[in-house]
Amino acid sequence: MAGRKIGRNDSCPCGSGKKYKKCCLEADARRAAEERDKSARENQKFVVAETDLDDLSNSVQALIESNDLDRAEAVCRELQEKFPDQVDGIWRLAAVLEARGQRSAAAQAYRQAADFMQSHPGFDRESVDDMIQSAERMEAGDDNLPL
């Protein structure tokens, strides 16, 4: 019966000799519903995590703009803790350090972000180059170099 849908009135594939509807249908339906629910919960967790990442990451920029640099740095640390497989915590921390005028530390963080991007899939060359250029700008002490 492999590959064929089991009909309600077919013999149960478990070998009991009963019709499927009187034997395993209910348990199979319950298992299928549990699998659908589990899949839906996993998808929801992903959406919530992705939204949380975006919200936290974007809040760092807002905190920098309002000059709340201590809170911005704390959010960067939270990003790194909650999302270690994402570059946002490192990248946003570099921006906080830059806003504080800690150019050497900012350059180091931008380089760390570039290294992270190069060692993880999904980042384009332009994004990596942007991080490297930001590091070079910090090292040169020249605010007129491209961001």
Side-chain angles (χ1 to χ4, degrees):
M1 295 185 90
R4 183 176 152 246
K5 184 176 176 183
I6 304 167
R8 293 174 46 81
N9 290 315
D10 290 342
S11 294
C12 190
C14 76
S16 68
K18 296 179 184 178
K19 288 186 177 185
Y20 182 56
K21 67 182 178 186
K22 297 283 187 181
C23 191
C24 292
L25 174 66
E26 188 175 317
D28 287 350
R30 188 172 43 253
R31 262 191 304 279
E34 288 169 0
E35 284 298 315
R36 282 190 306 274
D37 290 348
K38 180 181 176 187
S39 178
R41 282 191 305 276
E42 290 299 317
N43 287 337
Q44 183 62 30
K45 284 180 190 175
F46 176 75
V47 169
V48 168
E50 190 173 88
T51 300
D52 196 27
L53 169 65
D54 290 342
D55 290 346
L56 282 173
S57 185
N58 292 334
S59 74
V60 173
Q61 186 59 39
L63 290 165
I64 291 171
E65 290 169 5
S66 67
N67 204 32
D68 191 352
L69 301 180
D70 289 338
R71 179 70 185 127
E73 184 173 347
V75 174
C76 291
R77 304 288 181 209
E78 185 178 351
L79 277 165
Q80 289 175 324
E81 184 179 312
K82 284 186 173 180
F83 304 99
D85 59 337
Q86 300 295 323
V87 74
D88 296 58
I90 304 165
W91 164 51
R92 295 296 192 175
L93 179 59
V96 171
L97 295 168
E98 180 178 352
R100 283 198 166 131
Q102 297 173 325
R103 300 179 81 80
S104 177
Q108 184 179 356
Y110 281 125
R111 289 201 183 279
Q112 186 180 0
D115 291 344
F116 181 98
M117 293 169 135
Q118 289 174 322
S119 65
H120 290 76
F123 295 100
D124 58 27
R125 185 73 225 169
E126 183 179 350
S127 297
V128 174
D129 289 345
D130 287 345
M131 291 298 120
I132 293 169
Q133 286 175 356
S134 293
E136 290 171 349
R137 181 172 46 82
M138 291 295 99
E139 292 163 346
D142 185 353
D143 291 327
N144 295 321
L145 290 176
L147 294 174

